[in-house]
Amino acid sequence: MEFWGVEVKNGKPLHLDPGLDRLVHISQVALGESKNNVTEPIQLYVTVGSDKLLIGTLSHEKFPQLSTEIVLERNFALSHTWKNGSVFFSGYKVDL
């Protein structure tokens, strides 16, 4: 098992491949620093194949981070709707 983490910048989905015989477990998602006083909700998405799924909604005021139990074993993409900053996803990778 090894630590895993990525920064997803605004406006750019991040495409990821867990690797052959590996799993990615996303356990935490957190908002980065705000470039201005943002109050709008920020939707978080994971896309696997042609399925784009909402995995949560964050806000700087009330919910700046989210705990998850998402396990992925094939190519996926992470994205969000925040136009003013980055969102950080972390967890770990496991060999099968």
Side-chain angles (χ1 to χ4, degrees):
M1 180 173 20
E2 68 184 66
F3 175 78
W4 170 90
V6 294
E7 175 182 3
V8 180
K9 297 187 179 194
N10 58 333
K12 299 179 184 179
L14 182 63
H15 297 272
L16 299 156
D17 180 2
L20 187 61
D21 294 329
R22 297 197 88 178
L23 297 174
V24 170
H25 181 275
I26 301 171
S27 51
Q28 187 76 22
V29 185
L31 295 176
E33 290 185 40
S34 177
K35 295 178 184 172
N36 58 27
N37 221 356
V38 179
T39 59
E40 86 267 3
I42 299 148
Q43 285 79 35
L44 310 169
Y45 294 96
V46 64
T47 303
V48 179
S50 62
D51 297 323
K52 184 174 182 178
L53 306 168
L54 176 67
I55 59 173
T57 302
L58 298 178
S59 79
H60 268 288
E61 291 181 333
K62 296 183 182 181
F63 305 104
Q65 62 186 7
L66 170 72
S67 294
T68 69
E69 291 292 333
I70 299 171
V71 178
L72 300 151
E73 62 181 40
R74 53 187 252 210
N75 294 346
F76 63 97
L78 298 170
S79 60
H80 59 84
T81 60
W82 192 20
K83 294 178 174 69
N84 297 306
S86 296
V87 177
F88 295 86
F89 294 78
S90 62
Y92 54 90
K93 284 186 175 182
V94 178
D95 292 331
L96 294 177

